[in-house]
C-alpha cells in the first residue's frame, strides 16, 4: 500500500552486491515512509559468487546463482536503474550514468564489489577475461566450453592467480572440460607462492587436488603479455591457451579514485558504522569497502554480516536514532569447491574434505539464495468492514489494477459512451455545425485536420506509471503516444506534455522531472518533433500524458482501406500487459522484464515508413484493447474479415509462461468480452490464446498490405531490428476474426 506520507528523501544503493540485496529484502518487509529507495546496477540480475565455481563446473545453471534484481526491487518498492556508474559528484550529490542525467541522492550506499581485470598487462583487455565481474566471464566461459566440446577450439586454459579463488576456478574448469570428453589442459600462473593464505594442511590438499586433475602450477611466474594464443611470462616462457582468465586478487574499480572519497588502497575507507570516514552521507559495504578499524580479506561472508548493520544505519541516518557498530569475526568458515561434488572445509587449524563438505556448502548456498527466490508475502491490510458487499467483491475478486495500457477503461464501456456521443451530435440546442476542416472520425488512431492545405493529425495519450525508473517511463510514454502518429503514416511535429507526480519534496520533484523529461524529449526529438509546452500537477500516483501533432505529406493511413487477400503484418511481439501484471506479483524474471522494457522503448517511426513504402492500405497500433480488439477496429472500418494463425503471433519472452500460469492483466477480461461476438468459432485450446486480448503498452504497428509486398517488407523490417511477422490474411466480410 502506497504511503500517504510525501516522499522527502532519496536513498540510493549503488551496486547490487550481497549486502545491498539483503538490505532491499529487509526494506521490503519494513519500509521507511517518506523515503524513495533506488538501486543502480548494470544488470537485472546479480550473481551470488559463492556458487560461481559450481556453475563453472556444471553443477548449477546461471539462473541458479542469479539474484533477480527486478523482483527484489519490486518487493522493496525501490526504483531500479540499470546502468553502470562512472563517477560520483560529492558536492552536487549526484551519480554520473551514461546516456541519462546525473542521478541525485541524499544518502548513498556503495556495494559494487571488485574486479579482477588486469588492464596493466599488455593484451589482457583484448584477449583475456576477468573472473569478476561475473557477467562477461560467464558468457565467455560458456562459449569456450561449448566450442571445446565441438572441437572448434583447443581445451587449453590459463588462470592468472594462484590464490584460493584462482585454484577453485581452475579445478572447476578442469572438471567441466573433462566432462566434455575433449582433450584439455589447465595452467595456473602465480607470481609468488600459490595458496599462501592457507595453512600447510589445506594448502597441500588443494595442491594434491590440482595434481589429480592434471593442472599445471607455475609459481614465481609473472605474466608479461597476453595474445590470442596464450600468455608470455617475464621469464620468456610461453603458456599456450585459448582462454586466459584473470583471477589474481581483489582490485577496486578505478573510477573510485576520482570521487574524492577517502580510500585505502583504492577501496572506500569506512568506520565501524560502515560510513565513509570522509563523507557522512556515504556508506559502503562488501568488497569495495575497507574497514579501517578491523581490516579483513575480501570474502562474501563479511558482506552478508554487514547487511543488518547497514540497513539499520541507513534508516537511522534519515529518521534519527543510534547507529550500530559492525565488528567482523576474527575467523570464518571457508568452503572451497574441488571441481567435482566435493569440497574442502577450513576453519582455524582444522580442515575436512569430501562429498559431505560439498553437501554442507550447497545447503548453505541454497539457503542464502532461497531468501530471494522465496520473497515473503506481505499481506495488504484488509478492506474496512463498512465497504459495501459489491465493492468488496470488486476489490477482492479482480486482479490488481495494472499500469500502462492495462489501466485503461474497458473497450465495451468506452465504445458505448462514444456511440451515445455520436448519436447526440447535432441534437442539442447549441449543436455546432459539422466542420469541413475536421476530416477524421472517432475511432481512428488520431484526428485528421485540414489546415490551409496542410493535413495534420492530432492525438493524445496518457499512461499510469508502471516502471520505477522515470527516464525509462518517459521513453515508453513517448513511444506509446507517437504510435498513433506513426500508424497514420505521418511525421511527428509538436508535443505537449502533461505530468502528474506523486507528492514529494521540491528536491525530489526536480530530480524526477529531470529524468522524465530526459526520457520523453529524447524520443520526441529523435522523431523530429519539438516539445512546445504542457502541464504538471501533483496527485496520488504518476501519470504521463502527451498530446502530439503530426504532418501527413500524403493521405493519412486510417483503419479503412484494407482489401480481402491482404496480409496482416505485426511489427513487434505482444505480451507487455501480462508481463507488467506479472511484475506486480513478482512472477517475472529479470531477463524477461529487461527484454520487454527494451521492446517498449524502441521507436517505430522507421517501421511505419517501411510499411507505408510497402503499400500499407490500413494501419493501427496495438495498445490497450489488445491485438484482437485493435484488429477488429480495422476490420470493421474496412468491412473485411481476417484469419490469424496463433502460432505466428510473436510473443515477448516469458509471456507464454505467465499465461500458462494463469497470470492476466486487469483489462484482459473486458477486452475479451468486448470482441467475443465478432470472433468466429472457438479459440485454440492454448493458454497463449489469451494474449490476443492482452493490453499492450507501446505495442506494435498492425498493417494490412498487398500479399505480394509482404516478403520484401518483412525483410526490411527485420533488417531494421524489428521482430516483425506475418500473422494472418484478410478475407471477404463480415468483420469477424477467425483464429487457427
Amino acid at each position: 500500500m502506497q504511503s500517504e506520507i510525501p516522499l522527502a528523501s532519496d536513498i540510493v544503493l549503488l551496486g547490487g552486491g550481497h549486502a545491498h540485496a539483503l538490505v532491499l529484502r529487509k526494506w521490503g518487509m519494513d519500509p521507511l515512509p517518506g523515503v524513495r529507495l533506488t538501486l543502480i546496477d548494470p544488470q537485472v540480475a546479480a550473481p551470488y559468487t559463492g556458487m560461481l565455481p559450481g556453475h563453472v563446473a556444471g553443477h548449477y545453471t546461471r539462473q541458479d546463482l542469479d539474484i533477480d534484481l527486478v523482483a527484489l526491487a519490486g518487493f522493496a518498492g525501490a526504483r531500479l536503474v540499470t546502468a553502470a556508474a562512472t563517477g560520483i559528484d560529492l558536492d552536487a550529490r549526484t551519480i554520473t550514468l551514461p546516456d541519462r542525467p546525473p542521478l541525485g541522492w541524499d544518502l548513498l550506499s556503495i556495494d559494487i564489489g571488485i574486479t579482477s581485470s588486469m588492464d596493466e598487462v599488455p593484451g589482457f583487455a583484448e584477449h583475456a577475461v576477468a573472473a569478476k565481474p561475473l557477467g562477461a566471464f560467464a558468457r565467455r566461459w560458456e562459449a569456450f566450453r561449448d566450442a571445446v566440446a565441438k572441437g572448434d577450439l583447443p581445451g587449453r586454459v590459463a588462470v592468472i592467480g594462484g590464490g584460493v579463488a584462482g585454484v577453485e576456478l581452475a579445478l572447476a574448469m578442469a572438471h567441466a572440460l573433462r566432462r566434455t570428453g575433449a582433450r584439455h589442459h589447465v595452467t595456473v600462473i602465480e607470481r609468488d607462492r600459490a595458496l599462501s593464505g592457507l595453512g600447510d594442511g589445506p594448502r597441500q590438499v588443494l595442491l594434491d587436488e590440482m595434481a589429480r586433475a592434471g593442472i599445471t602450477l607455475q609459481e614465481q611466474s609473472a605474466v608479461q603479455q597476453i595474445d590470442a594464443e596464450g600468455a608470455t611470462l617475464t621469464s620468456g616462457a610461453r603458456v599456450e591457451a585459448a582462454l586466459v582468465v584473470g583471477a589474481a586478487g581483489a582490485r577496486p574499480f578505478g573510477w573510485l579514485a576520482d570521487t574524492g572519497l577517502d580510500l585505502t588502497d583504492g577501496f572506500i575507507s569506512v568506520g565501524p558504522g560502515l560510513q565513509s570516514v570522509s563523507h557522512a552521507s556515504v556508506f559502503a559495504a562488501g568488497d569495495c569497502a575497507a574497514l579501517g578499524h578491523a581490516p579483513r580479506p575480501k570474502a562474501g561472508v563479511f558482506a552478508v554480516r554487514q547487511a543488518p548493520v547497514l540497513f539499520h544505519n541507513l534508516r537511522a541516518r534519515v529518521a534519527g536514532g543510534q547507529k550500530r557498530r559492525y565488528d567482523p569475526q576474527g575467523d570464518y568458515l571457508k568452503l572451497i569447491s574441488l571441481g567435482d561434488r566435493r569440497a574442502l572445509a577450513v576453519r582455524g587449524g582444522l580442515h575436512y574434505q569430501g562429498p559431505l563438505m560439498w553437501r554442507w556448502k550447497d545447503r548453505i548456498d541454497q539457503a542464502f539464495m532461497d531468501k530471494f527466490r522465496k520473497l515473503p508475502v506481505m499481506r495488504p491490510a484488509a478492506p474496512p468492514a463498512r465497504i459495501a458487499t459489491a465493492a468488496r467483491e470488486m476489490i477482492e475478486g479482480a486482479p490488481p489494477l495494472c499500469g500502462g495500457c492495462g489501466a485503461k477503461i474497458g473497450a465495451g464501456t468506452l465504445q458505448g459512451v462514444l456511440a451515445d456521443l455520436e448519436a447526440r451530435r447535432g441534437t442539442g440546442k447549441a449543436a455546432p455545425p459539422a466542420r469541413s476542416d475536421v476530416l477524421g472520425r472517432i475511432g481512428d488512431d488520431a484526428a485528421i485536420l485540414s489546415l490551409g492545405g496542410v493535413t495534420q493529425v492530432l492525438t493524445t495519450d496518457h499512461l499510469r506509471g508502471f516502471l520505477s525508473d522515470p527516464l525509462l517511463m518517459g521513453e515508453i510514454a513517448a513511444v506509446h503516444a507517437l504510435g498513433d502518429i506513426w500508424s497514420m503514416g505521418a511525421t511527428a511535429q509538436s508535443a505537449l506534455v502533461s505530468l502528474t507526480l506523486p507528492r514529494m519534496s521540491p528536491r525530489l520533484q526536480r530530480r524526477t522531472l529531470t529524468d522524465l523529461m530526459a526520457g520523453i524529449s529524447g524520443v520526441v526529438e529523435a522523431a523530429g518533433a519539438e516539445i512546445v509546452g504542457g502541464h504538471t500537477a501533483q496527485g496520488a500516483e504518476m501519470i504521463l500524458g502527451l498530446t502530439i501533432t503530426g504532418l501527413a505529406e500524403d493521405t493519412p493511413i486510417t483503419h479503412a482501406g484494407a482489401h480481402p487477400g491482404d496480409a496482416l503484418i505485426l511489427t513487434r511481439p505482444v505480451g507487455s500487459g501480462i508481463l507488467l501484471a506479472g511484475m506486480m506479483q513478482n512472477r517475472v524474471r529479470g531477463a524477461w522484464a529487461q527484454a520487454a522494457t527494451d521492446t517498449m522503448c524502441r521507436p517505430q517511426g522507421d517501421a511505419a515508413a517501411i510499411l507505408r513504402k510497402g503499400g500499407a492500405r490500413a494501419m493501427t497500433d496495438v495498445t490497450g484493447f489488445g491485438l484482437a480488439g485493435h484488429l477488429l477496429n480495422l476490420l470493421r472500418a474496412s468491412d473485411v474479415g481476417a484469419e490469424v494463425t496463433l502460432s505466428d503471433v510473436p510473443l515477448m519472452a516469458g509471456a507464454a509462461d505467465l499465461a500458462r500460469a494463469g497470470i492476466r492483466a486487469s483489462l484482459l477480461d473486458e477486452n475479451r468480452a468486448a470482441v467475443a461476438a465478432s470472433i468466429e468459432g472457438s479459440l485454440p485450446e492454448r493458454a497463449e490464446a489469451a494474449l490476443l486480448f492482452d493490453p499492450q503498452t507501446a505495442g506494435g504497428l498492425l498493417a494490412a498490405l498487398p500479399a505480394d509486398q509482404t516478403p520484401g517488407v518483412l525483410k526490411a523490417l527485420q533488417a531494421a531490428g524489428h521482430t516483425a511477422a506475418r500473422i494472418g490474411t484478410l478475407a471477404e466480410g463480415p468483420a469477424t476474426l477467425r483464429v487457427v
Side-chain angles (χ1 to χ4, degrees):
M1 182 179 295
Q2 182 176 335
S3 170
E4 295 181 0
I5 298 177
L7 295 174
S9 183
D10 269 324
I11 295 180
V12 173
L13 307 179
L14 178 55
H18 302 349
H20 278 175
L22 289 166
V23 166
L24 285 163
R25 186 178 185 274
K26 291 178 72 68
W27 193 279
M29 294 186 286
D30 186 17
L32 187 61
V35 174
R36 179 169 62 180
L37 189 65
T38 300
L39 172 66
I40 303 174
D41 195 89
Q43 307 296 328
V44 294
Y48 172 49
T49 54
M51 296 171 74
L52 171 59
H55 168 62
V56 171
H59 307 315
Y60 304 120
T61 68
R62 176 60 195 273
Q63 188 177 335
D64 289 334
L65 66 153
D66 273 348
I67 298 171
D68 193 320
L69 297 180
V70 173
L72 185 57
F75 172 75
R79 292 191 300 171
L80 175 61
V81 176
T82 51
T86 58
I88 297 172
D89 187 328
L90 294 168
D91 294 327
R93 294 196 177 185
T94 59
I95 299 169
T96 304
L97 302 168
D99 302 321
R100 61 181 298 149
L103 192 144
W105 50 271
D106 299 310
L107 196 60
L108 173 65
S109 181
I110 307 173
D111 184 13
I112 57 176
I114 55 176
T115 179
S116 53
S117 181
M118 305 174 66
D119 294 337
E120 74 279 5
V121 177
F124 186 94
E126 296 81 5
H127 303 292
V129 62
K132 290 185 178 183
L134 173 63
F137 166 69
R139 291 188 294 270
R140 182 83 169 268
W141 163 248
E142 289 171 12
F144 171 77
R145 180 199 58 206
D146 293 344
V148 171
K150 295 175 184 177
D152 296 337
L153 281 176
R156 294 194 298 268
V157 180
V159 178
I160 306 174
V164 170
V167 170
E168 194 175 24
L169 199 58
L171 288 166
M173 289 176 163
H175 176 76
L177 293 173
R178 186 162 55 250
R179 292 176 61 187
T180 68
R183 296 183 61 184
H184 63 278
H185 186 78
V186 179
T187 302
V188 174
I189 305 168
E190 169 56 43
R191 66 164 53 244
D192 296 312
R193 182 176 182 263
L195 301 166
S196 57
L198 293 177
D200 292 341
R203 179 176 186 271
Q204 190 58 52
V205 170
L206 290 177
L207 292 176
D208 292 344
E209 289 292 333
M210 292 172 67
R212 188 180 68 84
I215 298 172
T216 298
L217 174 61
Q218 294 205 14
E219 296 179 292
Q220 308 299 324
S221 299
V223 176
Q224 178 175 297
Q225 185 172 348
I226 299 169
D227 54 45
E229 283 76 42
T232 301
L233 308 183
T234 53
S235 64
R238 284 281 298 173
V239 176
E240 300 298 330
L243 176 67
V244 179
V245 179
R251 297 161 182 253
F253 286 96
W255 61 265
L256 289 174
D258 300 322
T259 61
L261 290 167
D262 188 272
L263 305 177
T264 301
D265 298 326
F267 300 100
I268 302 168
S269 306
V270 297
L274 303 178
Q275 201 166 12
S276 165
V277 299
S278 59
H279 293 79
S281 59
V282 178
F283 289 73
D287 288 346
C288 70
L291 300 171
H293 68 292
R296 290 293 186 273
K298 304 301 180 185
V301 64
F302 297 117
V304 171
R305 300 285 180 87
Q306 288 167 0
V309 176
L310 180 62
F311 173 75
H312 176 89
N313 289 350
L314 288 172
R315 293 167 63 93
R317 175 73 182 176
V318 174
Q322 189 69 30
K323 288 192 302 182
R324 286 176 54 185
R325 179 183 176 94
Y326 171 70
D327 289 304
Q329 64 269 42
D331 191 16
Y332 63 98
L333 175 66
K334 303 177 184 70
L335 287 165
I336 305 166
S337 298
L338 300 178
D340 52 10
R341 291 180 182 271
R342 295 178 304 120
L344 169 66
V346 182
R347 182 156 192 176
L350 302 176
H351 65 276
Y352 304 93
Q353 68 186 91
L356 181 61
M357 298 300 103
W358 164 265
R359 289 196 292 271
W360 188 15
K361 174 176 169 53
D362 179 63
R363 183 175 179 179
I364 292 172
D365 290 339
Q366 299 291 359
F368 178 80
M369 289 301 295
D370 281 344
K371 292 178 181 290
F372 308 103
R373 296 171 183 151
K374 304 172 184 178
L375 292 167
V377 177
M378 308 307 292
R379 302 289 182 186
R386 286 181 291 179
I387 292 180
T389 301
R392 188 194 309 276
E393 290 176 352
M394 183 184 73
I395 293 171
E396 296 179 351
L401 181 62
C402 294
C405 263
K408 289 180 70 170
I409 300 297
T413 301
L414 181 61
Q415 288 169 359
V417 171
L418 293 179
D420 292 344
L421 175 64
E422 191 71 22
R424 291 198 304 270
R425 274 189 172 176
T427 62
K429 293 181 180 180
R435 297 186 60 100
S436 61
D437 55 355
V438 179
L439 309 180
R441 63 180 183 84
I442 293 178
D444 275 324
D445 289 343
I448 304 174
L449 310 175
S450 177
L451 301 173
V454 176
T455 301
Q456 187 180 56
V457 296
L458 171 66
T459 186
T460 189
D461 232 315
H462 288 68
L463 290 178
R464 179 171 178 252
F466 55 85
L467 285 184
S468 57
D469 183 348
L471 184 134
L472 292 181
M473 196 63 242
E475 289 181 355
I476 292 172
V479 170
H480 180 79
L482 283 163
D484 290 335
I485 301 295
W486 291 325
S487 70
M488 303 289 282
T491 302
Q493 177 191 25
S494 67
L496 294 169
V497 180
S498 177
L499 299 175
T500 300
L501 298 184
R503 294 176 63 201
M504 58 182 67
S505 69
R507 184 176 66 256
L508 269 67
Q509 285 178 356
R510 182 181 181 88
R511 291 171 181 168
T512 304
L513 279 173
T514 296
D515 282 346
L516 282 169
M517 290 307 299
I520 292 170
S521 63
V523 172
V524 168
E525 291 169 7
E530 184 174 342
I531 296 175
V532 295
H535 182 75
T536 59
Q538 293 187 74
E541 61 181 352
M542 182 182 291
I543 304 289
L544 299 87
L546 285 92
T547 299
I548 303 180
T549 64
L551 299 175
E553 295 182 6
D554 302 312
T555 302
I557 303 173
T558 66
H559 294 174
H563 295 178
D566 282 353
L568 284 172
I569 300 295
L570 181 64
T571 61
R572 68 177 33 164
V574 300
S576 61
I578 198 170
L579 283 157
L580 294 179
M583 288 169 65
M584 294 177 66
Q585 302 176 43
N586 285 333
R587 300 284 293 274
V588 173
R589 297 178 188 171
W592 297 349
Q594 184 174 47
T597 301
D598 290 345
T599 298
M600 289 186 283
C601 287
R602 171 78 155 86
Q604 297 190 93
D606 57 343
I610 292 169
L611 289 166
R612 186 179 187 98
K613 185 178 179 181
R617 291 197 259 241
M619 187 152 53
T620 186
D621 63 330
V622 180
T623 53
F625 301 144
L627 176 58
H630 287 282
L631 173 55
L632 278 162
N633 286 341
L634 187 150
L635 299 183
R636 293 172 186 133
S638 298
D639 195 22
V640 293
E643 180 177 281
V644 168
T645 302
L646 182 60
S647 59
D648 290 341
V649 177
L651 304 179
M652 290 184 174
D657 301 76
L658 294 173
R660 287 190 286 270
I663 305 298
R664 71 186 195 278
S666 55
L667 191 60
L668 186 143
D669 290 338
E670 279 202 68
N671 283 349
R672 188 200 299 265
V675 301
S678 299
I679 294 180
E680 181 182 341
S682 57
L683 294 172
E685 294 184 0
R686 294 166 52 195
E688 294 90 329
L691 294 172
L692 295 173
F693 314 103
D694 189 51
Q696 302 302 289
T697 300
L701 300 175
L702 178 65
L705 66 160
D708 60 354
Q709 298 297 312
T710 301
V713 169
L714 281 177
K715 184 177 180 180
L717 287 169
Q718 292 163 1
H722 297 279
T723 309
R726 176 174 178 169
I727 64 169
T729 304
L730 300 185
E732 296 288 345
T736 58
L737 169 61
R738 178 178 176 82
V739 182
V740 297

